[in-house]
Amino acid sequence: ADEALREAARLVREVPDFPEPGVLFRDISPMLANGPALNAVVSALGRDFDFDVVAGVEARGFLVGAAVAHAFGTGVIGLRKPGKLPVVADRIEYSLEYGRATLELPAETLRPGQRVLVVDDVLATGGTLGAACRLVRQAGADVAAAAVVLELTALEGRDKILGEKVRALLQV
Ligand code: PRP
Ligand code: HPA
């Protein structure tokens, strides 16, 4: 399994100067497009955690989150950017590097007391994943863990997700 993850990691593409000059962007698209790599990533994200449902963060967290949910036999909930959902159960606002953002929980999805695996593709500054965890708890559910494919450790985003188990499969 570790070997499969190492193989998967080689499919992360480094793109200089995106989205702006000086930033080295890690693009996991080629990794997700590869069957064995996706399989390794999905198994490793959910392994040994006890969860009833997966919550994936829009948009790239949807891809990974739905795959994890299916592999582990749970349902999946999309935590969405504002203005997309017809009926919102709960919402959370949070600050990003520049400005503010909002995540919304769709109605009639999460039940109080459920154990949620919060999934996203990348942990950068931690604002998004931290807010996703707070939204789950605000709705009366429990965060089983937060799991991402890739953590950009220099941004110290993990420090913003205090009190939760945080799993990152790859760290750069
Ligand atoms: C990216 C990524 C995470 C978030 C990480 O999403 O998919 O959700 O940023 O950054 P943070 O740790 O600094 O909060 P983005 O907002 O680019 O949206 P997308 O998935 O729709 O491309
Ligand atoms: N890759 C993917 N998503 C990101 C990155 C990155 O390097 N930085 C912030 N979000």
Side-chain angles (χ1 to χ4, degrees):
D2 283 358
E3 183 52 34
L5 263 186
R6 272 195 292 278
E7 281 292 314
R10 295 160 50 140
L11 296 172
V12 177
R13 184 187 170 134
E14 297 188 351
V15 184
D17 301 317
F18 183 88
E20 45 191 69
V23 175
L24 181 61
F25 189 87
R26 322 275 170 160
D27 182 11
I28 68 167
S29 304
M31 184 172 70
L32 300 183
N34 180 282
L38 178 63
N39 195 51
V41 162
V42 161
S43 308
L45 282 171
R47 183 175 301 139
D48 297 330
F49 288 144
D50 285 319
F51 55 98
D52 305 306
V53 69
V54 172
V57 183
E58 184 167 357
R60 291 176 264 155
F62 290 177
L63 290 174
V64 187
V68 172
H70 186 64
F72 287 83
T74 76
V76 64
I77 299 169
L79 304 181
R80 302 216 60 177
K81 296 181 176 168
K84 307 277 189 176
L85 290 170
V87 189
V88 174
D90 217 332
R91 67 164 56 80
I92 193 152
E93 269 192 65
Y94 59 102
S95 16
L96 290 174
E97 263 177 290
Y98 305 98
R100 297 187 61 76
T102 301
L103 282 178
E104 294 182 342
L105 172 71
E108 288 174 44
T109 55
L110 191 57
R111 293 193 298 279
Q114 279 192 309
R115 298 165 299 177
V116 183
L117 182 66
V118 178
V119 170
D120 206 350
D121 63 333
V122 173
L123 170 56
T125 67
T128 305
L129 197 64
C133 291
R134 288 201 302 284
L135 179 56
V136 164
R137 277 194 263 100
Q138 189 175 296
D142 297 323
V143 175
V148 299
V149 180
L150 177 67
E151 176 180 2
L152 307 174
T153 55
L155 298 174
E156 299 179 343
R158 191 177 276 264
D159 301 344
K160 285 218 193 97
I161 315 168
L162 293 175
E164 313 291 0
K165 288 180 210 169
V166 179
R167 167 180 291 169
L169 303 184
L170 313 171
Q171 293 180 314
V172 294

